[in-house]
Amino acid sequence: MIRLIALLIMVIPGCFAALGIKLMRDMLFGILQPPFPYLWLQFLVGLVLFIGGLGFIAGFVFYRDRKRNKVQKRFRKSIK
């Protein structure tokens, strides 16, 4: 059950990132999607979705690797 929840935690931001790429691509080809009145607004929403989804996945992987000491020395937690 825990692995299924972890998979969902990874898949949902991945879908947001994929949707962001699609919105940015559609703006490049001049295809306006229904909820957006302007192409530039569609591109900005797509960019935010892409960066947010990718950042969440990268942060999740980085946190997991840091917890297991699989990162370089400069990224390890320092104990003071």
Side-chain angles (χ1 to χ4, degrees):
M1 185 67 180
I2 293 175
R3 289 183 186 241
L4 181 64
I5 292 171
L7 178 66
L8 285 176
I9 289 173
M10 295 298 285
V11 168
I12 291 171
C15 290
F16 284 149
L19 178 65
I21 290 173
K22 182 194 179 311
L23 289 174
M24 290 188 295
R25 186 196 66 196
D26 286 349
M27 182 271 185
L28 186 67
F29 292 118
I31 301 169
L32 189 62
Q33 296 296 328
F36 303 107
Y38 305 108
L39 283 173
W40 60 268
L41 182 63
Q42 177 177 322
F43 181 80
L44 286 178
V45 170
L47 186 65
V48 167
L49 285 174
F50 174 69
I51 291 174
L54 188 66
F56 185 86
I57 292 171
F60 186 85
V61 170
F62 180 71
Y63 175 76
R64 187 195 66 191
D65 287 348
R66 183 187 242 184
K67 193 166 61 170
R68 296 179 182 179
N69 270 340
K70 293 187 178 183
V71 294
Q72 293 180 1
K73 282 187 177 183
R74 64 180 174 171
F75 295 121
R76 291 186 185 155
K77 289 183 179 178
S78 61
I79 300 172
K80 293 182 180 180

